[in-house]
Amino acid sequence: MAEMSLNELTKLLRECAGEEEGVNLDGDVMDVPFVELGYDSLAVLQTTGRIEQDYGVRISDDAAAEAHTPRMLLAFINESLSQAAAA
């Protein structure tokens, strides 16, 4: 996988942590804080753990904690994916 999309990330968020009522993850949520989307830091860590397992990449806990929006998390994920592909 060259790059993870927002659709793939939101699918994994739903699978790992569910979806809060009244939140539409199908809209433009790239810059909406995870807290406003109903996801706490544990939900983000669970999702990154799943990504690590499924895609064979490493995302540091610090990077996951610093990612406050889907855009930020995708940047960390896609950087890890590109590093893994180059190795």
Side-chain angles (χ1 to χ4, degrees):
M1 168 181 269
E3 190 170 281
M4 178 175 278
S5 70
L6 177 61
N7 287 339
E8 292 165 311
L9 176 59
T10 55
K11 179 180 181 258
L12 287 170
L13 282 165
R14 286 180 177 117
E15 289 176 7
C16 294
E19 185 174 3
E20 191 169 294
E21 188 175 321
V23 173
N24 180 6
L25 291 178
D26 295 324
D28 183 16
V29 296
M30 284 291 276
D31 296 309
V32 179
F34 282 115
V35 173
E36 289 181 27
L37 296 173
Y39 298 108
D40 61 11
S41 59
L42 181 58
V44 174
L45 284 173
Q46 288 175 321
T47 303
T48 57
R50 170 80 181 275
I51 292 165
E52 289 178 341
Q53 180 182 1
D54 289 357
Y55 298 98
V57 297
R58 175 77 178 112
I59 302 160
S60 74
D61 291 346
D62 289 341
E66 291 173 20
H68 300 289
T69 66
R71 182 182 307 278
M72 294 172 78
L73 184 57
L74 281 170
F76 288 124
I77 293 166
N78 289 328
E79 180 181 331
S80 295
L81 287 170
S82 70
Q83 288 174 356

